[in-house]
Every structure is written in C-alpha cells, then in structure tokens.
Amino acid sequence: MIADESVSDRRQPTVEEQLEQTLALVRDVLGPDLVAAYLHGSLVLGGLRPRSDLDVFVVSRRPTASEEKRRLVDGLLVISGSQSPGPPRPIELTIVVESEVRPWRYPPEFDFQYGEWLRPQFESGDVEPWPSTTSSDLASLITMVLLANRPLLGPPPSDVLDPVPREDYVTAIVDGIDELLRDLDWD
C-alpha cells in the first residue's frame, strides 16, 4: 500500500460517520448547552437520493457566539460534501435556541444555519451570511422534526418542541413558494 494516498483513493465517509462527525462538532461547540439533535428530511422519509443532503436540527439552551459559529463553519466545510453526486453528502444543519421556539411563536428564529448553498459566503469568511434569523421555513422544519421523531441525541422532539399550529404551517409553506420556484433549477 502506498503511504501517500490521493484524495480519490481515500475511503469516503458513510452517512453514519458524517452524522457522527457532525454531532461531535456540535457537542464540542455547544457543550452542556446542547439540548438535543434530530434527523429529518429525505433520509428519514425514505427518499434519499444521490444528491440529497443530511438534515440535522439542533436545539440549544443559548445562542452561539461568533467564535463558535466560526468553529461550526470550519468543521462543516470539511464534513459536508459538495452538491456533486457521490459521498460525502452535503450537511444541512440548523440550530435554534430553545427559548426562541418554545413557547411557539410565528415567525420563528434560528441561531445558525449551514447548507451548501451558503458555502461561498462561509469560505469567504462570513459566518452569518443570512440576511435575517427570522425564518418562516422553520415552521416546516419543526413540523418535519416532530413527525419524523428521530432523535440523534437527547429526548424525543415532542419533549422539546411545541407543535406548529396548522395556520402557521400553511403560512410558512405559502411564504416559501417564490423562493422554491427561484431555486428549482439547482435545488
């Protein structure tokens, strides 16, 4: 065996390994303030495709500091794959602060979000490239997390998150139509 393996010769991480790496990073950054982490999205729904990302939803007791966001970004840039087919898969990580989503209010706010669509901004050093932390999309994410009921660590989601009222869920879906149509060609 050659000691200097090329990048293409290295074994790519499995889905489980990527999730373990992501959780280790989140645990390291949030420490005892990490309440729970949940899996949702296509992996849970049975629709995982070659370009599907791994969706992880995290609940924290407190907001992340700028330096912690930098550590999350630096770690996720390595763990998360590109949108090209084949492993490693892209990671989509959303962190919410427990007190911002429970008790439920609309529109909800997130604390941190990582996705491959933000990679150029993250690579340029921007650890908060989103224009606002208010996101109607969180109503759908939280609904998916509750329905999936797939804790990666911590208690069941129903112990941590309030159900999203149907009216807020429908409003969130309708609010997201324009963005969905705009991104349809590449997403």
Side-chain angles (χ1 to χ4, degrees), residues 68-133:
E68 292 171 320
K69 286 180 171 80
R70 167 58 45 213
R71 288 174 47 207
L72 287 166
V73 166
D74 289 347
L76 289 165
L77 284 170
V78 174
I79 297 168
S80 182
S82 69
Q83 287 290 345
S84 61
R89 291 186 177 275
I91 301 290
E92 184 174 322
L93 175 72
T94 302
I95 299 176
V96 297
V97 175
E98 189 174 28
S99 63
E100 293 296 324
V101 295
R102 189 174 202 181
W104 173 258
R105 56 198 161 282
Y106 189 86
E109 291 193 24
F110 66 88
D111 177 62
F112 175 84
Q113 190 165 52
Y114 180 93
E116 285 299 306
W117 71 94
L118 295 169
R119 182 177 278 271
Q121 292 93 324
F122 287 137
E123 288 179 330
S124 73
D126 187 357
V127 297
E128 297 184 56
W130 40 83
S132 169
T133 58

Side-chain angles (χ1 to χ4, degrees), residues 106-186:
Y106 189 86
E109 291 193 24
F110 66 88
D111 177 62
F112 175 84
Q113 190 165 52
Y114 180 93
E116 285 299 306
W117 71 94
L118 295 169
R119 182 177 278 271
Q121 292 93 324
F122 287 137
E123 288 179 330
S124 73
D126 187 357
V127 297
E128 297 184 56
W130 40 83
S132 169
T133 58
T134 301
S135 172
S136 59
D137 189 45
L138 277 177
S140 296
L141 286 181
I142 290 172
T143 299
M144 285 190 286
V145 166
L146 286 164
L147 290 172
N149 193 25
R150 291 285 301 269
L152 293 169
L153 58 90
S158 60
D159 290 357
V160 177
L161 302 166
D162 287 338
V164 176
R166 179 170 169 66
E167 181 179 316
D168 291 346
Y169 179 68
V170 170
T171 299
I173 290 172
V174 171
D175 286 350
I177 290 174
D178 288 339
E179 183 178 351
L180 176 68
L181 292 175
R182 206 173 33 252
D183 297 341
L184 201 54
D185 290 337
W186 68 269

